[in-house]
Each structure stands twice: as structure tokens, then as C-alpha cells.
Amino acid sequence: MALIHIGFPKYFNWKKELKGLSLVNKQMMNVHTFFIALMVFLMGLLCFYFSNDLIKTKLGKVINLGLGIFWLTRLFFQIFIYSSKLW
């Protein structure tokens, strides 16, 4: 999922779409996209390499709770915040 972010600028035609934005806003789009991709990648690594710790330790359960809240909030935004016209 993290690798998909590499193609965002081309897929969403950011060169044209972001043309009217100031330099700081253009760069924020690129930087935030990079860090979102990095976090998704790191979450995947965490789940892949430390699944046993995430299931059996108290810290792992707290991390799972945080990840669950994050992804449920993300799902809520996908369904109720983004316009259904974009689907």
C-alpha cells in the first residue's frame, strides 16, 4: 500500500492540478504524501515482523488499539467525508 503513493503525483495529475498553489502548499502535498507512505510502510513492517508481540504483550495491545482507532477513523472519513461522487 505504501508503494502506491509513489504514483500519486502522476495518477492525480498534480503537475496540472496543483499549478495554482503556492510553493509551500505544493511541497506540503508532496511531503505529507511521503510521510503517509512511510507510516503505512512502517505499520506493515510492525505487523509483519512483530505480530506475536502485538498479540501477546500489553504494549502490543495498546499499539493495536491505536492502529485500530487510526484505521476506523480513516474508514469513517472515506465513507462520510469524501464525496461519493469521487468513487
Side-chain angles (χ1 to χ4, degrees):
M1 200 166 150
L3 294 176
I4 292 172
H5 287 74
I6 293 170
F8 276 14
K10 185 174 182 175
Y11 181 79
F12 292 111
N13 196 17
W14 282 358
K15 190 173 265 189
K16 177 185 171 199
E17 294 290 331
L18 303 180
K19 199 171 199 162
L21 295 180
S22 65
L23 180 60
V24 69
N25 284 318
K26 287 180 199 175
Q27 289 181 341
M28 280 185 359
M29 286 293 294
N30 289 315
V31 169
H32 283 169
T33 299
F34 170 80
F35 280 103
I36 290 168
L38 178 63
M39 283 307 300
V40 169
F41 177 73
L42 292 174
M43 280 190 258
L45 285 179
L46 179 69
C47 293
F48 188 77
Y49 287 108
F50 297 99
S51 58
N52 196 41
D53 294 324
L54 289 172
I55 293 168
K56 295 184 178 178
T57 67
K58 187 174 181 177
L59 177 60
K61 291 176 183 182
V62 170
I63 291 170
N64 281 335
L65 177 63
L67 291 173
I69 291 169
F70 171 84
W71 286 111
L72 283 174
T73 304
R74 177 63 180 89
L75 179 63
F76 176 84
F77 271 66
Q78 185 70 38
I79 295 171
F80 297 108
I81 304 298
Y82 284 115
S83 171
S84 60
K85 293 176 186 177
L86 298 173
W87 300 0

